[in-house]
Amino acid sequence: MDDPILTMEEREAINSGRWFSSLSPSLRHDILRCAFVKRYQDGDLIVARGEPAEQWIACAKGAVRVSSTTLAGKQITLTYVEPGIWFGDVSIFDGDRRTHDTYAHGPTTILIVARADFQKILAQHSELYEALLKLQARRIRLLFGQVEDLNTLPLRARLAKQIGHLVRSYGVASLSSNDEWRITLQLAQEELAQLLGASRQRVNQELKTMEREGVIRVEPAGLVVCDRHALLRIGESDV
């Protein structure tokens, strides 16, 4: 049974989100007042491709895996939505159906605003229009950056940048070392490879190289970044 109240940790993840925290207190209050909580186990379907857009969603805990299915029936992971990030507004605006499947990755909590409530908030807060425009602009910039990286950077640099993003979103400082960061989002190498548009074998080779260089450490529980400065230098490399 769903717990209708966010935990303190989940509420902090929502309130500290870069976009949400930029909104006025009254707008944040009205959004949270209309929202309800749902919790999922790993692998549970949250939204299916082709469904009508009836919900505006934020991730409050865990991760939401956004995926597509090829004509051959293979599922491809496109991205992971981290805590504090809102999504689903595009389909509400254009009235079209959902374009991708979304699944819980690990135990996941989401915050939901129904379409009707979303539209009421828009009518009451013109501020939300400009805020959502800025959010879309940021998404477009990120998308263009990813396309540019895919066409200009070697896999080693793209992998380093992706690991850096995972550290910022899911990194926890190691208790045993001030320099180490453990990535709490557990990804199989195949899932990491899909994010980079590369084969699992090539990603595995690059991970082993970084491990030999002392930049990362691959453990059964996930990746540990041993040298963030070295990781940053690799990500900035274009050769």
Side-chain angles (χ1 to χ4, degrees):
M1 184 175 181
D2 289 330
D3 186 341
I5 301 175
L6 292 173
T7 66
M8 290 183 62
E9 180 184 3
E10 292 165 349
R11 182 173 287 272
E12 173 60 23
I14 293 295
N15 286 329
S16 62
R18 176 182 173 186
W19 178 80
F20 190 74
S21 63
S22 70
L23 305 178
S24 67
S26 62
L27 176 53
R28 295 199 304 270
H29 173 269
D30 284 355
I31 291 173
L32 294 177
R33 181 173 57 84
C34 293
F36 59 95
V37 177
K38 292 198 71 173
R39 290 187 167 86
Y40 295 87
Q41 297 302 310
D42 180 48
D44 286 349
L45 178 67
I46 298 175
V47 173
R49 179 177 182 173
E51 288 184 351
E54 298 295 340
Q55 300 172 336
W56 184 38
I57 305 171
C59 180
K61 175 187 174 183
V64 176
R65 177 168 57 87
V66 181
S67 68
S68 181
T69 303
T70 68
L71 293 176
K74 181 180 179 180
Q75 196 173 89
I76 301 296
T77 298
L78 302 175
T79 190
Y80 292 86
V81 178
E82 65 201 61
I85 301 298
W86 291 78
F87 64 98
D89 42 279
V90 172
S91 295
I92 291 181
F93 272 128
D94 67 15
D96 210 340
R97 294 179 178 272
R98 300 295 192 189
T99 56
H100 299 90
D101 298 315
T102 57
Y103 296 87
H105 188 81
T108 299
T109 302
I110 63 172
L111 195 62
I112 299 171
V113 176
R115 180 190 184 103
D117 289 327
F118 176 80
Q119 292 172 333
K120 287 179 183 177
I121 296 170
L122 277 175
Q124 295 168 359
H125 294 270
S126 58
E127 168 197 353
L128 185 54
Y129 280 103
E130 183 177 356
L132 287 169
L133 281 174
K134 290 181 178 179
L135 180 60
Q136 296 304 325
R138 185 181 304 160
R139 289 170 177 165
I140 292 171
R141 287 179 183 273
L142 288 173
L143 178 60
F144 283 171
Q146 291 170 352
V147 172
E148 182 178 4
D149 287 350
L150 184 62
N151 288 279
T152 61
L153 293 182
L155 176 59
R156 174 178 167 86
R158 288 189 284 119
L159 176 58
K161 292 183 72 171
Q162 181 63 60
I163 294 174
H165 171 73
L166 292 173
V167 170
R168 290 189 295 274
S169 302
Y170 294 97
V172 175
S174 172
L175 297 177
S176 59
S177 172
N178 293 330
D179 299 326
E180 291 188 352
W181 289 78
R182 182 177 301 278
I183 297 173
T184 59
L185 181 69
Q186 296 189 6
L187 297 180
Q189 288 190 10
E190 176 64 29
E191 293 170 323
L192 185 57
Q194 288 178 11
L195 293 176
L196 296 164
S199 68
R200 186 196 64 79
Q201 291 79 8
R202 290 189 62 206
V203 169
N204 178 261
Q205 291 172 358
E206 296 294 350
L207 288 173
K208 287 182 177 178
T209 299
M210 290 185 190
E211 190 167 25
R212 288 195 299 269
E213 295 169 347
V215 179
I216 65 168
R217 186 169 67 252
V218 181
E219 297 183 350
L223 287 176
V224 176
V225 175
C226 307
D227 190 336
R228 290 187 72 179
H229 295 293
L231 189 72
L232 181 62
R233 289 194 297 270
I234 295 171
E236 293 173 344
S237 172
D238 60 358
V239 294

